[in-house]
Amino acid sequence: MIKEFICVLCPNGCELSVELDDNNNISKLEGATCQRGGEYVQQEIFAPQRNIATSVKVVGGNMPLVSVRLSEAIPKEKIFDVMDEIKKIKLEAPVSLGQVIIKNVLGLERDVIATKQVLREQF
Amino acid sequence: MTIKKDVIIIGGGPAGLAAAARLKELGVTDILILEREKLPGGILRQCIHDGFGLTRFKEALSGPEYAARFLDQVGKMDIDYLTDTTVLEIDSNKHVIAVTKEGLLEYQAKAIIMTTGCRERTRGAISIPGTRPAGIYTAGVAQTYVNLKNIMVGKKVVILGSGDIGLIMARRMTLEGAQVLAVLEILPYASGLPRNIEQCLNDYSIPLFLSHTVTNIRGKERLEGITVSRVDERLKPIPGTENDYDCDTLILSVGLIPENELSLMAGVNLDSRTRGPIVDENYQTNIDGIFVAGNALHVHDLVDFVSIEAENLAQAVLAYIQEGSFPQCSIRVETDDQVGYTVPQKVSGQKDITLSMRVRSPLKNCAIQVLQNDQVIKTKKMKKAIPAEMIQMRIKKEELISSEYIKVVVRHD
Ligand SMILES: Cc1cc2nc3c(=O)[nH]c(=O)nc-3n(C[C@H](O)[C@H](O)[C@H](O)COP(=O)(O)OP(=O)(O)OC[C@H]3O[C@@H](n4cnc5c(N)ncnc54)[C@H](O)[C@@H]3O)c2cc1C
């Protein structure tokens, strides 16, 4: 069976064309400009993973939100469960870049980390 | 009182920050960055998704993290910047007037670097018949609301235009619990990057309708719904293909235009294709000592290239400050009608150059060729080329064969 994928790992966005045998193993791969193409396809077939970015409310800061992302990608089907966890959080300023907001979220061995610095609002 | 500065940088986004850091590294110390917003970082502050810096740092960073790397550098290097400071006027003598809460500031610079970024097109909205209720936003404004101000713009959303910001917002709104009904694109191909269609639309089963547009808007105070029609090859709506959608929000992602109001005041000539200034290999405009880089010059797909462009510009500004002028750039760079534009548009022939360009429509198995005197001096083979992606070709000065104009063309195998 021949399947087409667009690799999302980097901005190249390679169009991958793969030939799969009966066990879904790759027998031929075309279109990848780096070796991660093959890994990506394997992952897409067996356990697709994505990172997500969102924001968390902050009180007393120089901005009302701090942006966050996951330390690494999570299984795609867990995205909305993790979003629900993140939505429960409210932080107090200051927040530093890289600060762990939720450790090991939902036991997925991934942390939710801040991607911005929020300073305390000065009056 | 007029304050003298060697270099004034207008705009503290990634282009302005990278130019400043490189200038300082090169020994130009009398620099000032003027930034309109409360914080530096430019558009990256609201681009919280990841995918920045893969080329430059070999890491997938979010926009704010990418900006922080440069802000750290600017901080450590003790480069002066003013925020909440909007430049109102510049002229060809490199006189700069800015406004802050405290009042007006006046500067006299030896060189001005324009890194003012771009603004969003709204053309798509103006031509649609129907009412003008609340609930219609450009993608960048919606992004500011959701990511910086904590204001959710709507619950049932349709996106017009398949630009990258619209795609990113489709995913963002979905994560926040909104229902994104569709993304509509009037052209027969998407204008955003394939990876964004994959990870922002396909991942969340959001349909993309090519050759479709909005033909009517309904609602009094708040948007209630829209009519969508298919278009023919000449982009005219086809009667009988109308489809009604109930939605409270319409997001426009119909393109970006380099921001050059200030440059125009100083007499800078723009290129009708890029809508940014015509520049030479030094990123200098037709006005001596006024330079431009980043999205103010031409809209970039990746911030990594913005940073590199600004750093190359800094190198040229150093030479300008030390020597006062450049070798004449009288070799024009022209294109055929398949290549949308090139930057720079003119070169001297005495310096290695990098030509940045975009194709005008998607192409497969083609070659981009650089010609001089009808002879091919460089070829880049491409399996696919799409308008969403900027293409770069490096040409060494030895590769040029004369002082005749250069032409960039597409050849099909
Ligand atoms: C929504 C969106 C999503 C993107 N996603 C990606 C991505 O996933 N990956 C990627 O690599 N790239 C992405 N990009 C592209 C990248 O972010 C831009 O190319 C880059 O930010 C451009 O940098 P710049 O410095 O030229 O402009 P900007 O970042 O726009 O900075 C311009 C600055 O100039 C200031 N300014 C303007 N006029 C004045 C004035 N008169 N006085 C004072 N200051 C002024 C503005 O306030 C602003 O801070 C995205 C861009 C957008 C808009």
Side-chain angles (χ1 to χ4, degrees), chain B residues 10-15 34-37 42-44 47 49 51-52 85-87 115-117 143 165 262 294-295 300-304 306:
Chain B
I10 306 178
L34 302 176
E35 168 57 50
R36 177 173 64 190
E37 299 291 325
I43 197 84
L44 291 181
C47 299
H49 56 282
F52 298 82
T85 304
T86 304
V87 176
T115 45
T116 46
Q143 194 179 42
I165 320 174
L262 292 171
N295 278 0
H300 291 64
D301 53 346
L302 295 178
V303 70
D304 307 61
V306 169

Side-chain angles (χ1 to χ4, degrees), chain B residues 339-379:
Chain B
V339 179
Y341 68 85
T342 68
V343 165
Q345 291 91 338
K346 37 187 197 167
V347 302
S348 68
Q350 294 170 41
K351 200 172 160 180
D352 296 349
I353 50 167
T354 301
L355 291 178
S356 301
M357 65 193 83
R358 289 194 194 229
V359 293
R360 293 177 82 153
S361 57
L363 301 169
K364 280 219 151 106
N365 297 320
C366 63
I368 296 182
Q369 293 189 327
V370 180
L371 313 178
Q372 219 181 11
N373 301 62
D374 290 328
Q375 244 172 280
V376 178
I377 61 168
K378 191 115 198 181
T379 301

Side-chain angles (χ1 to χ4, degrees), chain B residues 66-355:
Chain B
Y66 187 92
R69 301 248 166 145
F70 286 89
L71 278 169
D72 274 358
Q73 226 184 333
V74 164
K76 281 196 194 110
M77 293 171 117
D78 243 344
I79 295 168
D80 284 340
Y81 65 83
L82 293 177
T83 52
D84 271 324
T85 304
T86 304
V87 176
L88 298 178
E89 226 177 286
I90 64 170
D91 68 19
S92 55
N93 295 320
K94 277 105 46 189
H95 186 227
V96 177
I97 300 178
V99 63
T100 68
K101 285 194 184 113
E102 284 80 46
L104 288 186
L105 291 171
E106 278 189 61
Y107 297 96
Q108 179 59 54
K110 286 184 188 154
I112 297 179
I113 300 177
M114 301 298 301
T115 45
T116 46
C118 59
R119 65 190 143 90
E120 295 182 280
R121 278 208 166 101
T122 49
R123 196 188 51 194
I126 293 162
S127 54
I128 308 170
T131 56
R132 286 295 172 273
I136 305 175
Y137 303 89
T138 59
V141 168
Q143 194 179 42
T144 308
Y145 277 131
V146 177
N147 290 347
L148 295 182
K149 300 193 169 159
N150 197 21
I151 299 169
M152 193 53 189
V153 293
K155 292 204 176 82
K156 272 183 122 172
V157 186
V158 173
I159 297 177
L160 175 60
S162 58
D164 284 310
I165 320 174
L167 302 178
I168 298 279
M169 281 313 288
R171 174 176 65 183
R172 185 74 191 101
M173 304 277 290
T174 307
L175 285 178
E176 286 296 336
Q179 202 186 346
V180 180
L181 305 174
V183 176
L184 314 167
E185 170 57 57
I186 194 166
L187 297 173
Y189 52 85
S191 61
L193 296 169
R195 73 188 287 262
N196 283 337
I197 293 175
E198 191 62 29
Q199 63 183 356
C200 298
L201 302 187
N202 297 348
D203 271 4
Y204 299 91
S205 309
I206 299 168
L208 167 64
F209 297 113
L210 300 174
S211 301
H212 279 73
T213 193
V214 177
T215 46
N216 197 19
I217 294 177
R218 286 178 282 118
K220 281 205 188 82
E221 312 255 287
R222 177 80 195 196
L223 181 68
E224 283 162 17
I226 56 168
T227 305
V228 173
S229 303
R230 202 143 57 81
V231 299
D232 61 21
E233 302 84 64
R234 297 165 65 202
L235 310 184
K236 290 266 172 296
I238 304 171
T241 62
E242 296 86 0
N243 214 333
D244 283 346
Y245 284 80
D246 291 334
C247 57
D248 59 20
T249 305
L250 176 65
I251 291 182
L252 305 168
S253 180
V254 293
L256 303 165
I257 311 173
E259 178 66 69
N260 285 291
E261 293 305 313
L262 292 171
S263 297
L264 285 171
M265 282 183 197
V268 168
N269 292 335
L270 303 188
D271 183 327
S272 59
R273 303 166 303 173
T274 57
R275 311 278 298 262
I278 296 169
V279 292
D280 60 25
E281 63 202 14
N282 305 302
Y283 303 95
Q284 185 176 235
T285 64
N286 60 303
I287 306 293
D288 201 69
I290 298 186
F291 297 80
V292 54
N295 278 0
L297 176 57
H298 57 129
V299 175
H300 291 64
D301 53 346
L302 295 178
V303 70
D304 307 61
F305 296 125
V306 169
S307 307
I308 294 166
E309 188 173 279
E311 287 165 349
N312 291 338
L313 171 147
Q315 199 82 39
V317 170
L318 169 74
Y320 177 82
I321 293 206
Q322 288 176 340
E323 280 139 49
S325 69
F326 295 109
Q328 263 245 307
C329 290
S330 49
I331 303 179
R332 279 171 296 125
V333 185
E334 299 190 348
T335 65
D336 70 359
D337 56 10
Q338 295 186 80
V339 179
Y341 68 85
T342 68
V343 165
Q345 291 91 338
K346 37 187 197 167
V347 302
S348 68
Q350 294 170 41
K351 200 172 160 180
D352 296 349
I353 50 167
T354 301
L355 291 178

